[in-house]
Amino acid sequence: MTKSVSFDLQTLNKSLDGDLYFDDLIKSIYATDASVYRRLPLAVAYPKHETDLKVLIAFANTNNITLIPRTAGTSLAGQCVGEGIVVDVSKHFTKIIAINKEAKTVTVQPGVVKDFLNLQLKPLGLFFSPDTSTSNRCMIGGMVGNNSCGITSIRYGVTRDKVLELKTILSDGSEAKFGNLTSDEFQEKLSLTNLEGDLYKTIYKELEPESVKKNIQKEFPKPEIHRRNTGYALDKLIDSSAFGASDKPFNMCNLLTGSEGTLAFTTEITLHLDDLPPTERVMVAAHFKSISDALVGTTTCMKHHLFMCEMMDKTILDCTKNNLKQQENRQFVVGDPQAILMNELRGHTIDEAKLQAQALVNALEVEGLSYANVVLYGDDIEKAIELRKAGLGLLGNIIGDRKSAACIEDTAVALPDFANYINEFTALMKGYKQEAVYYAHAGAGELHLRPILNLKLKEDVVLFRKITTDVAHLVKKYGGSMSGEHGDGIVRAEFIPLMIGEDNYGIVKRIKSVFDPKNIFNAGKIVDAFPMDEKLRYVANRKEPEIKTLMDFSATEGILRQAEKCNGSGDCRKPPELGGTMCPSYRATRNEKDATRARANALREFLTNSDQKNPFNHKELKEVLDLCLSCKACLNECPSTVDIASMKSEFLYQYQKVNGFSLRSKLFAYNNKVNELTTHISGITNFFFKTKWTSDLMKKAFGIAENRSMPLVSSKSLNNHIKGINNDGVSKKHIKTIYVFVDEFTNLLDTQIGLDAIALLQGLNYNLKFVKHAESGRAFISKGFLEQAKDCAVKNVKAYKDLITEDTPLVGIEPSAIFTFKDEYLMLADDKESAKQIAKHTFLIEDFLYSEIVKGNISSDQFHTEEKVIKIHSHCHQKAMSNQLSTFTILNLPKGYKATIIPSGCCGMAGSFGYEKEHYEVSMNVGEQTLFPAIRKATKDVVISANGTSCRHQIKDGTAREAQHPVSILRHALI
């Protein structure tokens, strides 16, 4: 970067009300999207309003640079990467401007999340219908840019069909609003003497000749293919009253939708809405012995007014066979099908939906190609859909350097051509020794398949181009669309001249040149495309660095490949209103830097390209990992299971080896040792903690947030209480012997909870065993003291390795502590086999009680019938490595108890995170998203349950309510 450009960026930053970043960290984070490409931007802008956008456009014109529009950055084809300024509107352009129920329209800014929009529309009986797999984080601006489709397109159409008006800023900084025009209104536009008028004149001049219209109709994808994103939609423009082809109004939105931000910058979008679909659903899962039979069957199915027609093949189904979470979801699968068509029908009554389903079953039976037609209702439909999603996730979650590459995964052909196309496609893949995997929007004639390639090797990069080129020619042969819904981006834009013909491509280029003469809008996409096999995430045949770690990352072939598992799908960006936990810090700040994806990108970037002796020694990594709460949600909710929490622990260890461990970090890491010393003088300790002036002094000295209360130490440890415990007084014949892990938090801070747990387990007739063991090491892990954590793991594995079996399980009370046995110990312990065996039979106490309820060893008759209403907040580690069902079930066991789960995500405390003064604001922001408001709404007689010691502390500080551990609640319900 030259000094003059750097100076210009400084000046530009001062001219914006929003933010502009051009440091190495932010640029590396935005160098990729969900594609295989890496292009380092000049800068990243977060504009606050339209004036900021106009400043950016003027700067781009003056300096001959390009602006890359971006919302959620989930594009698969490289639409959101480039060497110019990335303009991220996902933070500030997020308003729902107006809803017109009568007209069934909504006007939004481009940064509105699709599912969030539908959440607001639902009470009005309306929704925005395109239903993409990324709907809980993708944004309307991106959907318009890519002309998104999703599984409902066979019924409702695609995004282009719904866009009524677009308010834009053109390349000269002028504003233009595009919408429906009659032929007379179109003619009036031709008389304008500004850039907007030039646009209409150019389009009229280019598309008016009859020969041009005929050539467009000849070369563009067949009109019956409604999923089509190849180049600019010239075919949609000529199908209007302006060109005498129909009585449809002319609408420039047809051109802008799917243009990938290459023509104008959109600031407001007006959409047509649909009535909510009928609520009653039935699914017919048709089983086939061959792919070809399924494809023929698709034509039959599509005659039955389906809301969904999706196909999954044997490969996807087989991926779920040995997955314990998917066993229940597989219950509808009959035999060993080569393919299943999932056909959803809806009705206003269940009888209406059943009649439609029976008609489809009858038609399939007459056809005789399907060997089983399973009819699903209610939750079983969601289970089937979840099975399909899980299979795809497992298929894409490949360990090592070979990955599924998005390049030919978006082809669409006319339904009558689908079977022949797939036969040729399969033969083509076999020629490249690629096993075809069929998951398809079958009813739309769209096939999703990705070849498995190692793009770190030159030979596979060559194959990347060859496969894409051959498939492009095959698609053209059938008059199909190379891009059905994912867009051209970089990966497919090179093939646009082939797909629509050179003459039509010339028109596309000329239209682009009038809209954007200096190429300031998303250069390299659609027109004058970047080469599809250059600027990939990896440099081919480069010697990849070997990163030495203390934790064992061999399960993913090292920490670098663990980071590389992130494919950029952006699941970590879903807002709190849409459920889940990932990613708490992104939800608090709405900055890409604070998302799981950004952390993985930064780790990959800096570990790969480090010039340091210790490759972890980068302040940029410290910055990007700073707000990670180590909630472990990414281990469960990320489809690629990118374990950022473990990588953060390793980073902290490696970074602090070079730069030193702070006094505060030592205090938190060794808090158990400190508590052991102070428990003998707990009265004095707690006096200092509770007294404001002494507490304030300690907080100031150690960098603890002023408004944070301090945890009080128990006067007697649980270990001291245990010495007097006698199992024989309960029963001569116990149900089972269990080992209780006395974690450091329960031992010295929450002793009464430990006593409640012991009383509950004994009262339920279990024989309790206690052995001498080390602390869990959770505090050491969270602060990067991995040598000390390893020592804990080694000692605890040794203590339990000959004791823990299926018949004598290990049970723990504090989630963050007991789950170290099932998670980090597998990466820290030397005796891996013993660690694995212990992990198999280690349970959070609620999980253990739930399993015993299922076995019939615990029943509601053992508890009183007093009525209580309970609201449950579960620890993040429980959500990530187990589930909340166990807590829900045990607290609903007493007949008078009514417990419900707060959909709260992370509480925001996260061990020491919420204590640290620089993190306090984010910590409380996370709590305010869902948890605190839900608790404040609860009346005083409602019992708040939280099984994490940090969670209970956060709830007290945030709401002034005392939360109880589930075992304490249940213990007091014992008869």
Side-chain angles (χ1 to χ4, degrees):
M1 187 186 300
T2 65
K3 289 184 178 179
S4 61
V5 173
S6 178
F7 175 79
D8 284 341
L9 290 175
Q10 295 280 3
T11 303
L12 174 62
N13 190 23
K14 294 175 182 176
S15 303
L16 298 171
D17 287 338
D19 299 304
L20 185 77
Y21 300 95
F22 37 93
D23 56 279
D24 290 342
L25 173 60
I26 299 300
K27 290 195 294 183
S28 69
I29 288 169
Y30 279 86
T32 62
D33 50 10
S35 70
V36 297
Y37 298 102
R38 174 190 177 273
R39 287 179 175 266
L40 207 65
L42 183 68
V44 176
Y46 285 84
K48 275 194 172 180
H49 40 59
E50 292 180 13
T51 302
D52 276 354
L53 290 174
K54 290 178 180 179
V55 170
L56 287 165
I57 287 170
F59 181 85
N61 275 309
T62 300
N63 293 278
N64 293 313
I65 61 172
T66 193
L67 304 176
I68 302 102
R70 177 167 167 145
T71 51
T74 59
S75 295
L76 291 165
Q79 289 94 326
C80 299
V81 299
E83 281 88 1
I85 298 177
V86 173
V87 184
D88 187 339
V89 297
S90 68
K91 185 172 184 179
H92 299 300
F93 284 73
T94 58
K95 296 183 181 65
I96 298 175
I97 297 168
I99 301 173
N100 188 323
K101 181 180 178 181
E102 289 69 31
K104 296 183 182 179
T105 64
V106 63
T107 300
V108 300
Q109 291 182 315
V112 172
V113 173
K114 188 260 180 183
D115 278 357
F116 178 79
L117 172 62
N118 279 344
L119 204 61
Q120 315 310 308
L121 294 172
K122 188 175 181 180
L124 303 177
L126 301 170
F127 80 128
F128 177 52
S129 54
D131 190 14
T132 66
S133 62
T134 57
S135 61
N136 62 3
R137 69 267 189 197
C138 77
M139 296 174 172
I140 303 300
M143 294 183 73
V144 171
N146 288 346
N147 186 30
S148 299
C149 302
I151 62 175
T152 58
S153 69
I154 58 174
R155 172 54 67 100
Y156 293 106
V158 302
T159 298
R160 182 179 283 125
D161 301 324
K162 309 301 174 183
V163 178
L164 299 176
E165 292 182 352
L166 293 174
K167 183 182 176 185
T168 68
I169 303 174
L170 302 179
S171 62
D172 66 349
S174 62
E175 295 182 17
K177 192 169 186 177
F178 299 108
N180 284 335
L181 299 174
T182 64
S183 58
D184 290 340
E185 289 170 333
F186 180 87
Q187 290 298 318
E188 290 175 12
K189 290 288 185 181
L190 299 179
S191 64
L192 294 176
T193 58
N194 53 11
L195 178 54
E196 182 184 356
D198 292 342
L199 303 180
Y200 284 101
K201 290 169 195 171
T202 299
I203 286 171
Y204 188 70
K205 175 185 173 184
E206 291 286 352
L207 303 184
E208 174 58 20
E210 197 63 31
S211 59
V212 169
K213 287 184 276 191
K214 286 182 178 179
N215 195 44
I216 290 171
Q217 292 163 350
K218 173 188 172 186
E219 295 286 356
F220 268 65
K222 292 180 179 179
E224 59 265 40
I225 303 172
H226 66 273
R227 289 168 172 261
R228 52 202 304 171
N229 290 315
T230 302
Y232 298 149
L234 306 182
D235 53 337
K236 293 292 289 185
L237 293 186
I238 63 174
D239 184 23
S240 68
S241 59
F243 294 97
S246 70
D247 58 359
K248 297 176 185 176
F250 178 93
N251 195 327
M252 194 76 82
C253 297
N254 286 321
L255 185 74
L256 294 174
T257 304
S259 67
E260 301 179 356
T262 61
L263 298 177
F265 210 108
T266 299
T267 59
E268 292 182 13
I269 303 161
T270 300
L271 302 166
H272 170 72
L273 304 172
D274 289 291
D275 293 323
L276 283 171
T279 54
E280 300 300 331
R281 309 161 66 195
V282 178
M283 178 178 284
V284 176
H287 294 50
F288 297 88
K289 294 180 179 179
S290 71
I291 296 292
S292 59
D293 284 351
L295 295 173
V296 175
T298 300
T299 303
T300 299
C301 294
M302 284 299 294
K303 297 175 182 177
H304 288 262
H305 305 290
L306 303 177
F307 280 78
M308 180 174 77
C309 181
E310 301 289 301
M311 181 172 74
M312 56 180 169
D313 77 345
K314 177 177 166 58
T315 304
I316 293 172
L317 288 166
D318 285 352
C319 282
T320 67
K321 274 186 176 179
N322 298 317
N323 187 282
L324 293 176
K325 287 186 177 181
Q326 297 305 319
Q327 291 305 310
E328 185 181 358
N329 294 341
R330 284 183 54 87
Q331 295 303 309
F332 76 96
V333 180
V334 178
D336 190 23
Q338 289 294 314
I340 293 179
L341 282 179
M342 301 164 62
N343 304 287
E344 185 183 78
L345 304 112
R346 288 179 177 252
H348 293 288
T349 66
I350 190 62
D351 288 338
E352 180 185 336
K354 284 180 178 179
L355 281 174
Q356 293 181 57
Q358 189 57 54
L360 174 55
V361 170
N362 292 343
L364 287 167
E365 289 177 348
V366 168
E367 186 179 59
L369 295 176
S370 56
Y371 70 84
N373 299 300
V374 181
V375 181
L376 303 175
Y377 305 94
D379 290 343
D380 289 337
I381 296 174
E382 292 304 324
K383 289 176 183 177
I385 293 173
E386 181 59 34
L387 183 75
R388 180 180 181 273
K389 289 180 180 178
L392 294 178
L394 291 167
L395 186 67
N397 193 8
I398 301 171
I399 302 299
D401 290 335
R402 284 169 56 79
K403 302 287 185 185
S404 58
C407 55
I408 56 170
E409 87 296 348
D410 198 29
T411 63
V413 297
L415 202 53
D417 296 325
F418 205 26
N420 290 333
Y421 168 73
I422 283 189
N423 288 335
E424 289 198 54
F425 183 90
T426 302
L428 183 62
M429 290 298 102
K430 284 182 178 178
Y432 284 112
K433 297 181 180 179
Q434 291 283 333
E435 182 180 351
V437 180
Y438 301 100
Y439 61 102
H441 300 300
E446 179 162 9
L447 175 66
H448 285 325
L449 177 132
R450 301 184 187 185
I452 307 301
L453 299 170
N454 179 3
L455 295 179
K456 292 181 179 179
L457 299 177
K458 281 186 179 178
E459 60 196 72
D460 276 21
V461 174
V462 171
L463 204 56
F464 182 56
R465 173 176 284 280
K466 284 184 176 179
I467 290 174
T468 308
T469 302
D470 284 352
V471 170
H473 283 282
L474 181 61
V475 173
K476 180 63 177 177
K477 174 183 175 180
Y478 284 96
S481 176
M482 188 66 174
S483 169
E485 61 179 341
H486 296 161
D488 294 312
I490 299 172
V491 75
R492 285 178 284 270
E494 271 193 81
F495 303 96
I496 294 173
L498 167 67
M499 305 312 298
I500 66 173
E502 290 287 353
D503 289 342
N504 292 325
Y505 181 63
I507 297 172
V508 165
K509 290 186 69 172
R510 290 191 291 275
I511 288 175
K512 162 72 170 176
S513 68
V514 177
F515 265 94
D516 184 18
K518 289 192 175 182
N519 204 17
I520 66 165
F521 290 137
N522 214 3
K525 323 296 163 54
I526 297 183
V527 169
D528 297 326
F530 294 140
M532 59 89 66
D533 51 359
E534 294 181 7
K535 299 290 183 77
L536 303 176
R537 283 195 183 192
Y538 311 107
V539 176
N541 286 9
R542 173 185 61 197
K543 181 174 172 55
E544 295 296 311
E546 294 183 11
I547 311 295
K548 293 182 180 180
T549 58
L550 186 146
M551 297 180 82
D552 182 3
F553 287 92
S554 60
T556 56
E557 300 183 6
I559 191 171
L560 186 56
R561 286 182 175 86
Q562 168 68 243
E564 289 172 355
K565 285 174 67 179
C566 175
N567 60 23
S569 63
D571 298 68
C572 43
R573 287 178 55 104
K574 61 183 181 291
E577 294 87 353
L578 301 178
T581 301
M582 184 175 69
C583 174
S585 53
Y586 169 76
R587 292 177 170 191
T589 69
R590 300 300 169 100
N591 290 330
E592 172 73 17
K593 175 179 73 69
D594 302 317
T596 304
R597 175 174 67 182
R599 295 173 183 129
N601 280 339
L603 281 162
R604 184 190 71 243
E605 183 81 20
F606 286 94
L607 292 180
T608 299
N609 302 303
S610 178
D611 58 359
Q612 299 287 321
K613 183 178 179 181
N614 181 335
F616 292 90
N617 188 23
H618 290 276
K619 60 180 177 58
E620 292 88 353
L621 291 178
K622 185 175 186 294
E623 181 182 349
V624 80
L625 290 164
D626 181 57
L627 292 187
C628 171
L629 283 77
S630 297
C631 67
K632 288 283 183 179
C634 49
L635 192 63
N636 178 273
E637 294 179 34
C638 170
S640 300
T641 61
V642 179
D643 186 0
I644 293 295
S646 294
M647 289 193 282
K648 178 181 180 179
S649 295
E650 184 68 42
F651 162 76
L652 288 172
Y653 169 68
Q654 299 286 352
Y655 185 84
Q656 291 170 144
K657 275 204 308 182
V658 178
N659 298 283
F661 296 79
S662 71
L663 180 61
R664 186 179 67 182
S665 288
K666 290 178 182 177
L667 175 68
F668 284 126
Y670 285 96
N671 77 89
N672 184 50
K673 303 297 183 188
V674 174
N675 290 338
E676 284 178 342
L677 294 173
T678 58
T679 190
H680 303 296
I681 51 170
S682 61
I684 297 173
T685 301
N686 292 340
F687 171 80
F688 282 122
F689 281 2
K690 287 189 289 186
T691 304
K692 185 173 180 359
W693 72 272
T694 52
S695 176
D696 286 349
L697 280 175
M698 285 186 287
K699 290 174 185 177
K700 188 173 183 179
F702 291 106
I704 295 172
E706 181 182 351
N707 294 327
R708 183 64 71 184
S709 66
M710 301 291 282
L712 303 182
V713 183
S714 299
S715 59
K716 185 178 179 182
S717 72
L718 183 59
N719 279 329
N720 282 331
H721 282 286
I722 286 169
K723 294 173 183 176
I725 287 177
N726 181 1
N727 281 300
D728 296 333
V730 180
S731 173
K732 292 182 179 179
K733 187 175 181 182
H734 298 95
I735 296 172
K736 185 178 290 185
T737 294
I738 60 176
Y739 286 85
V740 178
F741 180 74
V742 181
D743 65 85
E744 55 271 29
F745 308 103
T746 307
N747 184 37
L748 297 171
L749 300 176
D750 298 312
T751 305
Q752 184 56 51
I753 293 172
L755 295 172
D756 289 341
I758 291 168
L760 176 65
L761 291 167
Q762 287 186 325
L764 293 171
N765 202 18
Y766 292 92
N767 182 39
L768 308 186
K769 294 281 189 180
F770 302 90
V771 299
K772 187 177 180 181
H773 60 75
E775 64 180 281
S776 72
R778 170 55 63 197
F780 290 133
I781 293 167
S782 68
K783 304 311 291 183
F785 287 67
L786 292 188
E787 292 176 19
Q788 295 85 339
K790 182 178 177 68
D791 184 58
C792 293
V794 169
K795 287 179 178 177
N796 285 333
V797 168
K798 184 178 180 180
Y800 286 110
K801 72 174 186 176
D802 297 322
L803 302 174
I804 305 306
T805 67
E806 183 177 1
D807 297 323
T808 56
L810 179 64
V811 175
I813 300 164
E814 168 58 35
S816 66
I818 195 62
F819 279 119
T820 56
F821 283 87
K822 300 177 78 68
D823 185 20
E824 288 92 354
Y825 281 15
L826 303 180
M827 305 170 74
L828 288 168
D830 293 328
D831 186 352
K832 291 286 190 292
E833 288 306 311
S834 294
K836 288 176 184 176
Q837 286 303 310
I838 294 169
K840 282 183 183 178
H841 308 299
T842 295
F843 297 92
L844 180 66
I845 189 168
E846 296 104 292
D847 293 341
F848 171 75
L849 293 171
Y850 172 71
S851 68
E852 292 298 289
I853 292 170
V854 172
K855 293 172 185 175
N857 292 331
I858 302 174
S859 71
S860 59
D861 296 336
Q862 295 169 276
F863 300 90
H864 62 59
T865 58
E866 177 188 349
E867 293 187 355
K868 277 188 181 179
V869 176
I870 305 165
K871 296 289 184 183
I872 303 167
H873 167 75
S874 298
H875 193 282
C876 289
H877 290 185
Q878 178 188 12
K879 294 170 185 171
M881 288 175 272
S882 176
N883 61 69
Q884 302 177 79
L885 176 63
S886 58
T887 306
F888 174 82
T889 302
I890 69 169
L891 289 182
N892 277 294
L893 188 63
K895 293 176 181 176
Y897 282 12
K898 183 180 179 182
T900 56
I901 295 172
I902 301 171
S904 47
C906 179
C907 74
M909 189 65 169
S912 64
F913 181 89
Y915 286 99
E916 295 161 351
K917 64 179 182 181
E918 71 271 24
H919 296 147
Y920 178 77
E921 184 178 348
V922 169
S923 171
M924 300 309 283
N925 186 315
V926 172
E928 289 290 354
Q929 289 167 6
T930 308
L931 179 61
F932 293 170
I935 291 175
R936 292 188 192 112
K937 287 179 183 176
T939 55
K940 294 298 181 184
D941 58 330
V942 173
V943 177
I944 306 301
S945 169
N947 58 1
T949 184
S950 292
C951 304
R952 293 189 295 275
H953 199 131
Q954 177 79 328
I955 288 169
K956 181 179 180 181
D957 284 355
T959 68
R961 293 285 296 266
E962 295 281 349
Q964 300 181 43
H965 194 288
V967 298
S968 297
I969 298 171
L970 207 58
R971 180 258 171 118
H972 293 294
L974 269 176
I975 294 176

